[in-house]
Amino acid sequence: MKKIGHFLAASIIFSAMSPVQGHAGDTEVKLGVLTDMSGIFSDANGKGSLVAAQMAVDDMAGQLAGFSVHVVSADHQNKPDIGAGIARKWFDEDGIDVVLDIPVSPIALAVQSIAEEKDKIVLLSSAGSSDITGKACSKNTIQWTYNTFALSNVAGRAMVERGEKAWFFITTDYAFGHALERDATAAIEAGGGKSLGHALNPIATPDFSSYLLSAQASGANVIALASSGGDMQSAVKQAAEFGIQAGGQKLLGLLFDVTDIKALGLDVTKGMLLATPFYWDRDDESRAFGQRFMKIHGRAPTMHQAGVYSATLHYLKSVAAAGTDETQAVLEKMRETPVNDMFARNGTIREDGQMIHDFYLVEVKSPSESKGEWDYYKVLSTVPGEQAFQPLGSCPRLANKG
């Protein structure tokens, strides 16, 4: 039997003492940040996701009278069986009310199934498969930050509109990668483009040479990387060594973040188009959050970490408004209340569990354009959430309601 990953206990952030009118149930709110603390997604998630959750709890101090709030975290080691085992223990033995973050879609799908069985809440800032709010939708899960449809739709359509219509995919061979390629293919075909094929790589692949050679030989205008984290970084580095961009082919990372730019450097990534729901230097409010986060964590917040903060804050506001941490009462408050914070403006939570909010099409700056560390993006346009995300309609639970 595999050993469950180590737990990183966070401190109790605050404990308010005065009673809440109409409060029902227990007075202890427990949040679990389930993430990758040591693997290929630890830069974009990891300890920074725990920092983000703690910041949100700090910001709610004094607004949750009658409740104490506790945050814990665990490393799922990017393995669905370990992630599911942690979640089940959290729900059965540790009284966790809500699980946050969860990079890696198969782990998220396993956890949300357990959460529905136990009537607990899952707030996903890092699992991106659009199936999570589609064929696998759950009444207890909210997909907060992004999904594969929105990433593909915003970046894919922009590339096709620029005349880049022939694509080849290098796809990480698991649920997220397959969903990203599927959704990107639909987006480019809708714009008049086409896919010339794909190469599938296992997760945590060190050598992308054979996949890059296939992509190079395909003659595609765009080589799209349907991957993330360390896999995507390795592919971009090795593509530069192969001279792929110098040869005229465009490289597109379908899930790219500021930590990836930091790891790769602007010389390698300059000019790339990206889709993102968050950039720390976008406006005054996001900038203030980013600077606070950097003082604590030493790195700029990624979109995933910003999503953890936003989801945690909205959850705790809803607990305060409901006067209880009872699952369905809190979810009802979350759905009926617009999301307004440094992450989203007038965000809404749809019946299928998708949080709808704006996306941004950005271009990576050149070294001469950047004013310093973490100054990486030029925001080219804002894409309203209704245009970025898939239409409502593929969630079987909703179809069965009537």
Side-chain angles (χ1 to χ4, degrees), residues 28-34 53 57 69-74 86-87 90-91 94-102 111 115 118-125 140-142 144 308 311-316 319 325-327 330-331 334:
E28 195 172 37
V29 180
K30 292 187 176 181
L31 297 83
V33 178
L34 185 57
V57 175
V69 180
H70 305 250
V71 183
V72 299
S73 69
I86 291 168
W90 274 356
F91 295 146
D94 301 329
I96 295 295
D97 297 295
V98 57
V99 179
L100 299 146
D101 200 17
I102 319 188
V111 171
K118 305 294 182 181
D119 197 29
K120 302 291 186 175
I121 296 173
V122 178
L123 303 178
L124 298 174
S125 4
N140 288 23
T141 297
I142 301 173
W144 201 266
V308 169
T312 303
L313 191 70
H314 195 71
Y315 169 79
L316 293 175
V319 169
D325 63 355
E326 191 277 319
T327 291
V330 175
L331 283 169
M334 292 184 76

Side-chain angles (χ1 to χ4, degrees), residues 326-344:
E326 191 277 319
T327 291
Q328 296 307 319
V330 175
L331 283 169
E332 184 177 349
K333 283 293 180 186
M334 292 184 76
R335 293 188 187 104
E336 70 185 30
T337 308
V339 181
N340 281 296
D341 54 29
M342 82 327 157
F343 180 84

Side-chain angles (χ1 to χ4, degrees), residues 207-218:
D207 182 5
F208 280 80
S209 57
S210 63
Y211 313 118
L212 289 165
L213 286 170
S214 296
Q216 204 169 28
S218 72

Side-chain angles (χ1 to χ4, degrees), residues 43 72 109 123 164 220 276 285 359 368:
D43 276 353
V72 299
L109 289 164
L123 303 178
E164 313 293 352
T276 183
E285 195 173 359
F359 253 72
S368 62

Side-chain angles (χ1 to χ4, degrees), residues 151-167:
L151 289 175
S152 304
N153 190 35
V154 173
R157 284 179 180 269
M159 290 293 282
V160 171
E161 287 170 4
R162 293 182 176 209
E164 313 293 352
K165 296 191 174 185
W167 290 47

